[in-house]
Amino acid sequence: MIGTVNRILLAVAGAVLLAAGVVLLTAVRPLGGRAAPLLSAADRRRYLHAEGWWWALIAALVVCVLLALWWLLSQLKSARLRTVAVDTGDGGFAVLRGRALADAVAAEAGALDGVAGCRVVLRGRRGSPALRVALELESHAVPADTLAGLAGPVLTHARTSARLPDLPAEARFKVASHRARRVS
């Protein structure tokens, strides 16, 4: 969702800056030329004595500032899950570091046949985490076998060791780049 918000804000900011640039470069109305003031003396007197529109302008600016702060804070928020709540079986919960679970899954998935590299990110909420696994396959690897190895023993081991029966995972495959062999 934040990617969509970023694209919309970028498009709106670009359109506003483009319009401002065209107005300034062409010096058309409302500027009336480069030396003319933006508001004439009569306009300034009329707008300064108006009662209701100042509050609407201030409210709109406050809303814009609050939306800008929300956007800034959402940019700083990490998408990774730091901790996972694990049911201990006796009515209590233990805390498992998300990085530890991700590293364990990455080590097991990286040991599968035909896997050149593996990155695992734990996402979601503390009570319902989800894994995103990015596997880099070697040229001789069979994706179906690698997926079966990942979905079978690797994720089963992660689910049982963390006591998370519902641990969804998303796997993305990429073939490792390799140079062609030289034939002599």
Side-chain angles (χ1 to χ4, degrees):
M1 174 175 155
I2 196 67
T4 305
V5 172
N6 284 343
R7 287 185 188 104
I8 291 171
L9 286 176
L10 186 61
V12 168
V16 167
L17 289 175
L18 180 67
V22 167
V23 166
L24 287 176
L25 286 176
T26 59
V28 296
R29 289 296 260 179
L31 298 180
R34 294 183 186 261
L38 186 60
L39 294 175
S40 66
D43 289 337
R44 283 192 301 261
R45 280 192 299 274
R46 185 177 68 196
Y47 290 136
L48 286 178
H49 295 295
E51 294 293 328
W53 73 277
W54 280 105
W55 292 108
L57 177 67
I58 290 172
L61 290 176
V62 166
V63 167
C64 288
V65 167
L66 289 176
L67 286 173
L69 284 174
W70 168 80
W71 177 76
L72 177 66
L73 291 176
S74 68
Q75 297 301 310
L76 299 176
K77 187 173 119 176
S78 174
R80 292 181 181 219
L81 189 60
R82 297 196 185 280
T83 59
V84 177
V86 178
D87 186 13
T88 59
D90 60 357
F93 286 94
V95 176
L96 174 65
R97 284 187 325 125
R99 185 75 175 170
L101 180 60
D103 287 346
V105 171
E108 282 191 49
L112 292 173
D113 183 38
V115 175
C118 179
R119 276 190 0 221
V120 178
V121 176
L122 193 64
R123 296 179 175 256
R125 296 186 181 193
R126 195 172 173 190
S128 59
L131 290 173
R132 179 176 285 175
V133 182
L135 294 168
E136 188 174 4
L137 301 178
E138 294 175 355
S139 60
H140 65 82
V142 178
D145 294 342
T146 306
L147 182 61
L150 177 69
V154 174
L155 290 179
T156 302
H157 186 238
R159 288 177 181 130
T160 56
S161 64
R163 288 191 178 213
L164 294 168
D166 296 329
L167 182 62
E170 174 186 337
R172 296 182 181 202
F173 295 109
K174 179 177 117 178
V175 177
S177 61
H178 62 283
R179 292 186 178 185
R181 294 184 183 163
R182 180 176 281 186
V183 178
S184 325

mmCIF file of all heavy atoms in Angstrom, residues 46-83:
data_model
loop_
_atom_site.group_PDB
_atom_site.id
_atom_site.type_symbol
_atom_site.label_atom_id
_atom_site.label_comp_id
_atom_site.label_asym_id
_atom_site.label_seq_id
_atom_site.Cartn_x
_atom_site.Cartn_y
_atom_site.Cartn_z
ATOM 1 N N ARG A 46 -9.232 43.301 0.600
ATOM 2 C CA ARG A 46 -10.437 42.480 0.566
ATOM 3 C C ARG A 46 -10.210 41.133 1.266
ATOM 4 O O ARG A 46 -11.030 40.675 2.045
ATOM 5 C CB ARG A 46 -10.861 42.241 -0.883
ATOM 6 C CG ARG A 46 -12.186 41.479 -0.978
ATOM 7 C CD ARG A 46 -12.626 41.311 -2.393
ATOM 8 N NE ARG A 46 -11.691 40.395 -3.060
ATOM 9 C CZ ARG A 46 -11.593 40.254 -4.363
ATOM 10 N NH1 ARG A 46 -12.334 40.966 -5.171
ATOM 11 N NH2 ARG A 46 -10.744 39.407 -4.883
ATOM 12 N N TYR A 47 -9.055 40.481 1.019
ATOM 13 C CA TYR A 47 -8.801 39.165 1.609
ATOM 14 C C TYR A 47 -8.438 39.241 3.085
ATOM 15 O O TYR A 47 -8.739 38.336 3.844
ATOM 16 C CB TYR A 47 -7.698 38.440 0.848
ATOM 17 C CG TYR A 47 -8.125 37.997 -0.528
ATOM 18 C CD1 TYR A 47 -7.302 38.168 -1.618
ATOM 19 C CD2 TYR A 47 -9.367 37.405 -0.736
ATOM 20 C CE1 TYR A 47 -7.684 37.758 -2.884
ATOM 21 C CE2 TYR A 47 -9.767 37.006 -1.993
ATOM 22 C CZ TYR A 47 -8.919 37.181 -3.055
ATOM 23 O OH TYR A 47 -9.304 36.777 -4.302
ATOM 24 N N LEU A 48 -7.794 40.307 3.495
ATOM 25 C CA LEU A 48 -7.434 40.420 4.909
ATOM 26 C C LEU A 48 -8.647 40.666 5.792
ATOM 27 O O LEU A 48 -8.652 40.290 6.963
ATOM 28 C CB LEU A 48 -6.406 41.537 5.115
ATOM 29 C CG LEU A 48 -4.993 41.191 4.644
ATOM 30 C CD1 LEU A 48 -4.077 42.384 4.839
ATOM 31 C CD2 LEU A 48 -4.455 39.988 5.392
ATOM 32 N N HIS A 49 -9.683 41.282 5.250
ATOM 33 C CA HIS A 49 -10.872 41.558 6.053
ATOM 34 C C HIS A 49 -11.935 40.477 5.934
ATOM 35 O O HIS A 49 -12.977 40.565 6.561
ATOM 36 C CB HIS A 49 -11.468 42.922 5.665
ATOM 37 C CG HIS A 49 -10.545 44.041 5.992
ATOM 38 N ND1 HIS A 49 -10.198 44.361 7.276
ATOM 39 C CD2 HIS A 49 -9.863 44.899 5.199
ATOM 40 C CE1 HIS A 49 -9.366 45.372 7.264
ATOM 41 N NE2 HIS A 49 -9.134 45.731 6.010
ATOM 42 N N ALA A 50 -11.688 39.458 5.160
ATOM 43 C CA ALA A 50 -12.654 38.362 5.048
ATOM 44 C C ALA A 50 -12.616 37.542 6.333
ATOM 45 O O ALA A 50 -11.581 37.381 6.962
ATOM 46 C CB ALA A 50 -12.309 37.485 3.860
ATOM 47 N N GLU A 51 -13.742 37.009 6.725
ATOM 48 C CA GLU A 51 -13.845 36.338 8.015
ATOM 49 C C GLU A 51 -13.626 34.828 7.946
ATOM 50 O O GLU A 51 -12.828 34.272 8.657
ATOM 51 C CB GLU A 51 -15.237 36.615 8.625
ATOM 52 C CG GLU A 51 -15.465 38.049 8.993
ATOM 53 C CD GLU A 51 -14.581 38.498 10.141
ATOM 54 O OE1 GLU A 51 -14.264 37.682 11.024
ATOM 55 O OE2 GLU A 51 -14.199 39.673 10.152
ATOM 56 N N GLY A 52 -14.370 34.130 7.117
ATOM 57 C CA GLY A 52 -14.434 32.686 7.225
ATOM 58 C C GLY A 52 -13.376 31.885 6.497
ATOM 59 O O GLY A 52 -13.062 30.780 6.872
ATOM 60 N N TRP A 53 -12.791 32.413 5.458
ATOM 61 C CA TRP A 53 -11.931 31.580 4.626
ATOM 62 C C TRP A 53 -10.554 31.356 5.217
ATOM 63 O O TRP A 53 -9.875 30.404 4.858
ATOM 64 C CB TRP A 53 -11.854 32.138 3.215
ATOM 65 C CG TRP A 53 -11.043 33.380 3.074
ATOM 66 C CD1 TRP A 53 -11.448 34.635 3.305
ATOM 67 C CD2 TRP A 53 -9.684 33.438 2.687
ATOM 68 N NE1 TRP A 53 -10.434 35.508 3.078
ATOM 69 C CE2 TRP A 53 -9.320 34.787 2.688
ATOM 70 C CE3 TRP A 53 -8.727 32.497 2.328
ATOM 71 C CZ2 TRP A 53 -8.044 35.211 2.365
ATOM 72 C CZ3 TRP A 53 -7.471 32.930 1.997
ATOM 73 C CH2 TRP A 53 -7.133 34.272 2.018
ATOM 74 N N TRP A 54 -10.098 32.198 6.153
ATOM 75 C CA TRP A 54 -8.793 31.995 6.773
ATOM 76 C C TRP A 54 -8.771 30.694 7.565
ATOM 77 O O TRP A 54 -7.790 29.953 7.547
ATOM 78 C CB TRP A 54 -8.430 33.162 7.691
ATOM 79 C CG TRP A 54 -7.911 34.352 6.959
ATOM 80 C CD1 TRP A 54 -8.570 35.510 6.707
ATOM 81 C CD2 TRP A 54 -6.630 34.477 6.343
ATOM 82 N NE1 TRP A 54 -7.780 36.355 5.972
ATOM 83 C CE2 TRP A 54 -6.577 35.742 5.744
ATOM 84 C CE3 TRP A 54 -5.524 33.660 6.236
ATOM 85 C CZ2 TRP A 54 -5.459 36.191 5.062
ATOM 86 C CZ3 TRP A 54 -4.414 34.111 5.559
ATOM 87 C CH2 TRP A 54 -4.394 35.369 4.980
ATOM 88 N N TRP A 55 -9.865 30.429 8.261
ATOM 89 C CA TRP A 55 -9.914 29.199 9.072
ATOM 90 C C TRP A 55 -9.904 27.965 8.186
ATOM 91 O O TRP A 55 -9.286 26.949 8.520
ATOM 92 C CB TRP A 55 -11.138 29.217 9.984
ATOM 93 C CG TRP A 55 -11.012 30.271 11.028
ATOM 94 C CD1 TRP A 55 -11.705 31.437 11.085
ATOM 95 C CD2 TRP A 55 -10.103 30.273 12.122
ATOM 96 N NE1 TRP A 55 -11.296 32.172 12.162
ATOM 97 C CE2 TRP A 55 -10.305 31.476 12.826
ATOM 98 C CE3 TRP A 55 -9.141 29.396 12.581
ATOM 99 C CZ2 TRP A 55 -9.584 31.808 13.958
ATOM 100 C CZ3 TRP A 55 -8.422 29.722 13.722
ATOM 101 C CH2 TRP A 55 -8.644 30.922 14.387
ATOM 102 N N ALA A 56 -10.565 28.053 7.061
ATOM 103 C CA ALA A 56 -10.564 26.923 6.132
ATOM 104 C C ALA A 56 -9.164 26.699 5.549
ATOM 105 O O ALA A 56 -8.710 25.561 5.409
ATOM 106 C CB ALA A 56 -11.569 27.165 5.008
ATOM 107 N N LEU A 57 -8.471 27.788 5.264
ATOM 108 C CA LEU A 57 -7.109 27.682 4.741
ATOM 109 C C LEU A 57 -6.181 27.084 5.792
ATOM 110 O O LEU A 57 -5.383 26.189 5.490
ATOM 111 C CB LEU A 57 -6.603 29.058 4.298
ATOM 112 C CG LEU A 57 -5.163 29.088 3.793
ATOM 113 C CD1 LEU A 57 -5.053 28.314 2.495
ATOM 114 C CD2 LEU A 57 -4.699 30.518 3.626
ATOM 115 N N ILE A 58 -6.278 27.551 7.026
ATOM 116 C CA ILE A 58 -5.431 27.024 8.097
ATOM 117 C C ILE A 58 -5.740 25.555 8.348
ATOM 118 O O ILE A 58 -4.835 24.727 8.532
ATOM 119 C CB ILE A 58 -5.608 27.871 9.375
ATOM 120 C CG1 ILE A 58 -4.981 29.257 9.155
ATOM 121 C CG2 ILE A 58 -4.977 27.193 10.577
ATOM 122 C CD1 ILE A 58 -5.255 30.248 10.262
ATOM 123 N N ALA A 59 -7.022 25.175 8.340
ATOM 124 C CA ALA A 59 -7.397 23.773 8.538
ATOM 125 C C ALA A 59 -6.854 22.899 7.406
ATOM 126 O O ALA A 59 -6.354 21.790 7.649
ATOM 127 C CB ALA A 59 -8.909 23.646 8.632
ATOM 128 N N ALA A 60 -6.924 23.384 6.181
ATOM 129 C CA ALA A 60 -6.399 22.618 5.049
ATOM 130 C C ALA A 60 -4.887 22.452 5.159
ATOM 131 O O ALA A 60 -4.350 21.369 4.882
ATOM 132 C CB ALA A 60 -6.767 23.301 3.739
ATOM 133 N N LEU A 61 -4.193 23.501 5.595
ATOM 134 C CA LEU A 61 -2.744 23.400 5.769
ATOM 135 C C LEU A 61 -2.379 22.445 6.898
ATOM 136 O O LEU A 61 -1.405 21.690 6.792
ATOM 137 C CB LEU A 61 -2.145 24.784 6.008
ATOM 138 C CG LEU A 61 -2.165 25.718 4.799
ATOM 139 C CD1 LEU A 61 -1.639 27.098 5.186
ATOM 140 C CD2 LEU A 61 -1.349 25.141 3.661
ATOM 141 N N VAL A 62 -3.143 22.451 7.983
ATOM 142 C CA VAL A 62 -2.890 21.521 9.093
ATOM 143 C C VAL A 62 -3.101 20.086 8.628
ATOM 144 O O VAL A 62 -2.311 19.195 8.952
ATOM 145 C CB VAL A 62 -3.782 21.862 10.304
ATOM 146 C CG1 VAL A 62 -3.804 20.749 11.320
ATOM 147 C CG2 VAL A 62 -3.303 23.154 10.956
ATOM 148 N N VAL A 63 -4.144 19.841 7.849
ATOM 149 C CA VAL A 63 -4.386 18.500 7.319
ATOM 150 C C VAL A 63 -3.236 18.073 6.408
ATOM 151 O O VAL A 63 -2.769 16.939 6.473
ATOM 152 C CB VAL A 63 -5.747 18.446 6.582
ATOM 153 C CG1 VAL A 63 -5.883 17.178 5.763
ATOM 154 C CG2 VAL A 63 -6.884 18.560 7.575
ATOM 155 N N CYS A 64 -2.749 18.986 5.593
ATOM 156 C CA CYS A 64 -1.616 18.674 4.709
ATOM 157 C C CYS A 64 -0.366 18.341 5.516
ATOM 158 O O CYS A 64 0.366 17.399 5.194
ATOM 159 C CB CYS A 64 -1.339 19.829 3.759
ATOM 160 S SG CYS A 64 -2.577 20.004 2.478
ATOM 161 N N VAL A 65 -0.110 19.102 6.574
ATOM 162 C CA VAL A 65 1.062 18.840 7.417
ATOM 163 C C VAL A 65 0.922 17.493 8.116
ATOM 164 O O VAL A 65 1.877 16.709 8.187
ATOM 165 C CB VAL A 65 1.266 19.987 8.434
ATOM 166 C CG1 VAL A 65 2.250 19.603 9.512
ATOM 167 C CG2 VAL A 65 1.741 21.232 7.717
ATOM 168 N N LEU A 66 -0.262 17.173 8.629
ATOM 169 C CA LEU A 66 -0.467 15.881 9.290
ATOM 170 C C LEU A 66 -0.311 14.718 8.310
ATOM 171 O O LEU A 66 0.284 13.693 8.654
ATOM 172 C CB LEU A 66 -1.840 15.841 9.960
ATOM 173 C CG LEU A 66 -1.985 16.720 11.199
ATOM 174 C CD1 LEU A 66 -3.423 16.667 11.712
ATOM 175 C CD2 LEU A 66 -1.010 16.305 12.283
ATOM 176 N N LEU A 67 -0.833 14.863 7.100
ATOM 177 C CA LEU A 67 -0.656 13.821 6.097
ATOM 178 C C LEU A 67 0.822 13.661 5.714
ATOM 179 O O LEU A 67 1.295 12.548 5.503
ATOM 180 C CB LEU A 67 -1.494 14.118 4.862
ATOM 181 C CG LEU A 67 -2.996 13.885 5.003
ATOM 182 C CD1 LEU A 67 -3.728 14.379 3.767
ATOM 183 C CD2 LEU A 67 -3.289 12.424 5.259
ATOM 184 N N ALA A 68 1.537 14.764 5.629
ATOM 185 C CA ALA A 68 2.964 14.692 5.315
ATOM 186 C C ALA A 68 3.740 13.999 6.440
ATOM 187 O O ALA A 68 4.642 13.205 6.176
ATOM 188 C CB ALA A 68 3.523 16.085 5.061
ATOM 189 N N LEU A 69 3.380 14.265 7.688
ATOM 190 C CA LEU A 69 4.036 13.586 8.812
ATOM 191 C C LEU A 69 3.719 12.092 8.814
ATOM 192 O O LEU A 69 4.598 11.267 9.081
ATOM 193 C CB LEU A 69 3.606 14.221 10.134
ATOM 194 C CG LEU A 69 4.244 15.563 10.456
ATOM 195 C CD1 LEU A 69 3.635 16.148 11.720
ATOM 196 C CD2 LEU A 69 5.745 15.423 10.605
ATOM 197 N N TRP A 70 2.455 11.742 8.526
ATOM 198 C CA TRP A 70 2.092 10.327 8.448
ATOM 199 C C TRP A 70 2.893 9.625 7.363
ATOM 200 O O TRP A 70 3.406 8.520 7.551
ATOM 201 C CB TRP A 70 0.590 10.184 8.172
ATOM 202 C CG TRP A 70 0.207 8.791 7.803
ATOM 203 C CD1 TRP A 70 0.007 7.739 8.650
ATOM 204 C CD2 TRP A 70 0.020 8.281 6.484
ATOM 205 N NE1 TRP A 70 -0.311 6.617 7.931
ATOM 206 C CE2 TRP A 70 -0.311 6.917 6.591
ATOM 207 C CE3 TRP A 70 0.078 8.851 5.224
ATOM 208 C CZ2 TRP A 70 -0.572 6.123 5.492
ATOM 209 C CZ3 TRP A 70 -0.185 8.054 4.136
ATOM 210 C CH2 TRP A 70 -0.501 6.713 4.277
ATOM 211 N N TRP A 71 3.028 10.276 6.216
ATOM 212 C CA TRP A 71 3.779 9.696 5.110
ATOM 213 C C TRP A 71 5.242 9.514 5.486
ATOM 214 O O TRP A 71 5.851 8.479 5.212
ATOM 215 C CB TRP A 71 3.638 10.582 3.883
ATOM 216 C CG TRP A 71 4.439 10.101 2.721
ATOM 217 C CD1 TRP A 71 4.150 9.062 1.894
ATOM 218 C CD2 TRP A 71 5.676 10.642 2.269
ATOM 219 N NE1 TRP A 71 5.129 8.921 0.954
ATOM 220 C CE2 TRP A 71 6.078 9.870 1.161
ATOM 221 C CE3 TRP A 71 6.479 11.686 2.693
ATOM 222 C CZ2 TRP A 71 7.251 10.129 0.483
ATOM 223 C CZ3 TRP A 71 7.645 11.946 2.011
ATOM 224 C CH2 TRP A 71 8.017 11.169 0.911
ATOM 225 N N LEU A 72 5.836 10.511 6.155
ATOM 226 C CA LEU A 72 7.239 10.427 6.556
ATOM 227 C C LEU A 72 7.453 9.291 7.547
ATOM 228 O O LEU A 72 8.397 8.510 7.422
ATOM 229 C CB LEU A 72 7.699 11.760 7.164
ATOM 230 C CG LEU A 72 9.134 11.785 7.681
ATOM 231 C CD1 LEU A 72 10.098 11.636 6.517
ATOM 232 C CD2 LEU A 72 9.396 13.060 8.438
ATOM 233 N N LEU A 73 6.580 9.168 8.535
ATOM 234 C CA LEU A 73 6.711 8.098 9.514
ATOM 235 C C LEU A 73 6.498 6.723 8.887
ATOM 236 O O LEU A 73 7.142 5.755 9.287
ATOM 237 C CB LEU A 73 5.744 8.317 10.671
ATOM 238 C CG LEU A 73 6.072 9.514 11.570
ATOM 239 C CD1 LEU A 73 4.994 9.699 12.628
ATOM 240 C CD2 LEU A 73 7.437 9.347 12.213
ATOM 241 N N SER A 74 5.624 6.628 7.917
ATOM 242 C CA SER A 74 5.419 5.337 7.262
ATOM 243 C C SER A 74 6.634 4.947 6.421
ATOM 244 O O SER A 74 6.876 3.759 6.211
ATOM 245 C CB SER A 74 4.157 5.362 6.415
ATOM 246 O OG SER A 74 4.336 6.218 5.314
ATOM 247 N N GLN A 75 7.411 5.909 5.949
ATOM 248 C CA GLN A 75 8.629 5.608 5.214
ATOM 249 C C GLN A 75 9.704 5.047 6.132
ATOM 250 O O GLN A 75 10.511 4.218 5.734
ATOM 251 C CB GLN A 75 9.178 6.859 4.517
ATOM 252 C CG GLN A 75 8.271 7.434 3.475
ATOM 253 C CD GLN A 75 7.961 6.468 2.370
ATOM 254 O OE1 GLN A 75 8.844 5.864 1.796
ATOM 255 N NE2 GLN A 75 6.693 6.296 2.084
ATOM 256 N N LEU A 76 9.712 5.509 7.371
ATOM 257 C CA LEU A 76 10.739 5.087 8.314
ATOM 258 C C LEU A 76 10.431 3.733 8.947
ATOM 259 O O LEU A 76 11.318 3.103 9.506
ATOM 260 C CB LEU A 76 10.897 6.141 9.415
ATOM 261 C CG LEU A 76 11.332 7.526 8.937
ATOM 262 C CD1 LEU A 76 11.350 8.504 10.093
ATOM 263 C CD2 LEU A 76 12.689 7.457 8.268
ATOM 264 N N LYS A 77 9.185 3.297 8.876
ATOM 265 C CA LYS A 77 8.782 2.040 9.499
ATOM 266 C C LYS A 77 9.345 0.862 8.714
ATOM 267 O O LYS A 77 9.265 0.810 7.504
ATOM 268 C CB LYS A 77 7.257 1.968 9.533
ATOM 269 C CG LYS A 77 6.720 0.789 10.300
ATOM 270 C CD LYS A 77 5.225 0.914 10.399
ATOM 271 C CE LYS A 77 4.598 -0.265 9.721
ATOM 272 N NZ LYS A 77 3.165 -0.300 9.819
ATOM 273 N N SER A 78 9.905 -0.081 9.427
ATOM 274 C CA SER A 78 10.497 -1.257 8.797
ATOM 275 C C SER A 78 9.422 -2.273 8.468
ATOM 276 O O SER A 78 8.472 -2.461 9.213
ATOM 277 C CB SER A 78 11.526 -1.876 9.743
ATOM 278 O OG SER A 78 12.013 -3.080 9.212
ATOM 279 N N ALA A 79 9.581 -2.944 7.348
ATOM 280 C CA ALA A 79 8.604 -3.949 6.943
ATOM 281 C C ALA A 79 8.905 -5.307 7.576
ATOM 282 O O ALA A 79 8.088 -6.199 7.529
ATOM 283 C CB ALA A 79 8.603 -4.082 5.425
ATOM 284 N N ARG A 80 10.091 -5.454 8.164
ATOM 285 C CA ARG A 80 10.465 -6.725 8.767
ATOM 286 C C ARG A 80 9.847 -6.863 10.147
ATOM 287 O O ARG A 80 9.701 -5.903 10.882
ATOM 288 C CB ARG A 80 11.978 -6.832 8.897
ATOM 289 C CG ARG A 80 12.656 -6.929 7.573
ATOM 290 C CD ARG A 80 14.130 -7.060 7.753
ATOM 291 N NE ARG A 80 14.751 -7.138 6.445
ATOM 292 C CZ ARG A 80 15.763 -7.928 6.185
ATOM 293 N NH1 ARG A 80 16.273 -8.668 7.110
ATOM 294 N NH2 ARG A 80 16.272 -7.950 4.982
ATOM 295 N N LEU A 81 9.543 -8.082 10.469
ATOM 296 C CA LEU A 81 8.983 -8.406 11.773
ATOM 297 C C LEU A 81 10.133 -8.684 12.733
ATOM 298 O O LEU A 81 10.962 -9.548 12.476
ATOM 299 C CB LEU A 81 8.059 -9.620 11.641
ATOM 300 C CG LEU A 81 7.221 -9.988 12.831
ATOM 301 C CD1 LEU A 81 6.291 -8.841 13.202
ATOM 302 C CD2 LEU A 81 6.401 -11.226 12.526
ATOM 303 N N ARG A 82 10.180 -7.963 13.827
ATOM 304 C CA ARG A 82 11.310 -8.100 14.753
ATOM 305 C C ARG A 82 11.155 -9.292 15.688
ATOM 306 O O ARG A 82 12.128 -9.975 15.970
ATOM 307 C CB ARG A 82 11.477 -6.829 15.558
ATOM 308 C CG ARG A 82 11.817 -5.633 14.690
ATOM 309 C CD ARG A 82 12.363 -4.498 15.540
ATOM 310 N NE ARG A 82 12.583 -3.305 14.775
ATOM 311 C CZ ARG A 82 13.636 -3.091 14.007
ATOM 312 N NH1 ARG A 82 14.551 -4.018 13.898
ATOM 313 N NH2 ARG A 82 13.772 -1.967 13.346
ATOM 314 N N THR A 83 9.969 -9.524 16.205
ATOM 315 C CA THR A 83 9.755 -10.627 17.135
ATOM 316 C C THR A 83 8.483 -11.383 16.778
ATOM 317 O O THR A 83 7.584 -10.841 16.153
ATOM 318 C CB THR A 83 9.632 -10.120 18.594
ATOM 319 O OG1 THR A 83 8.550 -9.212 18.672
ATOM 320 C CG2 THR A 83 10.908 -9.459 19.063
#
